[in-house]
Amino acid sequence: TQLLEQSPQFLSIQEGENLTVYCNSSSVFSSLQWYRQEPGEGPVLLVTVVTGGEVKKLKRLTFQFGDARKDSSLHITAAQPGDTGLYLCAPVMNRDDKIIFGKGTRLHILP
Amino acid sequence: DTGVSQDPRHKITKRGQNVTFRCDPISEHNRLYWYRQTLGQGPEFLTYFQNEAQLEKSRLLSDRFSAERPKGSFSTLEIQRTEQGDSAMYLCASSLTIAKNIQYFGAGTRLSVL
């Protein structure tokens, strides 16, 4: 079982600030997914990164997969209150049929 | 189709009672998954079905838990003799087999055991 760490656990910042959250492991992954979960809802898939070193952008969100495919980061530029939520990373192993989630980073953007 | 739907959204029960949750997946999805999420944690896998066959069960799924998908469409998750430690959000997700890592989640059923 891979050890998956997300950091920080909690982050509260002012609207307009930038932030980065991290997902780290000692294992190599086939690919990695990032989800956002809003209160009272299920997780929603944001992106899947596949290639080591890959960078994907989704509006103000930038996702990067580490060169060794063991870690990933999510950078949010000019955070907005709508970005509030639980950000979960989930490594993908092609042999698995289930998703293994990290504990998540709970992000709160203050207006 | 509006996505994965779960019923009820909230359930409050007394310890020792049985509860049953329902999940209706996206109609063309042949895979259906159940996860459990407690406060401060990410969702944890419980079990999944491909059509009506239950293919994998987590060790988290004790003997008091049973899941069914009799016709390969909707699924039910039953918890017998509930305990306070069963209090959690129970999430259902569905996918196509050919895109098993693209799972669509329902809004969950929040269970509170008093």
Side-chain angles (χ1 to χ4, degrees):
Chain A
T1 304
Q2 67 265 2
L3 186 63
L4 193 65
E5 282 192 21
Q6 288 194 247
S7 61
Q9 275 190 288
F10 303 97
L11 187 57
S12 183
I13 64 170
Q14 291 291 137
E15 181 177 2
E17 293 185 3
N18 301 334
L19 67 109
T20 303
V21 299
Y22 301 91
C23 175
N24 295 291
S25 175
S26 55
S27 300
V28 177
F29 306 126
S30 304
S31 57
L32 186 140
Q33 298 178 326
W34 283 93
Y35 290 77
R36 179 170 62 215
Q37 184 177 20
E38 297 184 18
E41 300 295 327
V44 175
L45 179 64
L46 297 174
V47 76
T48 303
V49 286
V50 179
T51 308
E54 181 178 6
V55 176
K56 280 191 174 178
K57 293 195 173 185
L58 189 66
K59 297 183 181 178
R60 293 175 294 100
L61 278 59
T62 302
F63 304 85
Q64 184 160 9
F65 201 13
D67 290 341
R69 305 205 320 275
K70 292 183 179 181
D71 54 84
S72 181
S73 63
L74 159 59
H75 182 81
I76 301 179
T77 303
Q80 298 177 2
D83 296 328
T84 292
L86 179 67
Y87 287 81
L88 297 158
C89 74
V92 177
M93 302 300 285
N94 286 335
R95 64 176 182 269
D96 281 339
D97 295 292
K98 56 186 177 289
I99 296 175
I100 307 294
F101 290 93
K103 291 187 178 182
T105 291
R106 190 164 297 281
L107 178 63
H108 186 54
I109 309 300
L110 302 167
Chain B
D1 193 302
T2 56
V4 179
S5 62
Q6 293 189 243
D7 182 71
R9 291 293 309 273
H10 304 274
K11 179 71 178 178
I12 299 174
T13 191
K14 291 183 179 179
R15 190 173 50 186
Q17 299 293 305
N18 299 343
V19 294
T20 301
F21 312 140
R22 177 180 170 123
C23 171
D24 286 88
I26 293 172
S27 58
E28 63 267 28
H29 285 183
N30 49 1
R31 286 202 171 186
L32 186 148
Y33 310 79
W34 285 99
Y35 293 82
R36 180 172 70 188
Q37 185 175 25
T38 53
L39 281 176
Q41 303 291 325
E44 296 173 293
F45 170 78
L46 292 178
T47 187
Y48 89 93
F49 294 82
Q50 179 156 307
N51 301 314
E52 65 276 6
Q54 188 173 16
L55 296 188
E56 186 175 349
K57 292 196 287 187
S58 162
R59 281 173 289 179
L60 292 175
L61 212 64
S62 75
D63 291 344
R64 295 183 298 106
F65 288 69
S66 62
E68 293 183 345
R69 194 183 184 200
K71 297 180 181 178
S73 55
F74 74 91
S75 175
T76 57
L77 178 66
E78 181 183 16
I79 309 175
Q80 296 183 323
R81 305 181 302 282
T82 52
E83 302 173 357
Q84 288 186 322
D86 297 330
S87 295
M89 174 77 90
Y90 290 84
L91 292 162
C92 175
S94 71
S95 76
L96 294 169
T97 302
I98 59 171
K100 63 182 182 179
N101 295 320
I102 302 177
Q103 297 181 16
Y104 295 83
F105 284 80
T109 294
R110 181 167 295 283
L111 173 66
S112 297
V113 182
L114 306 178

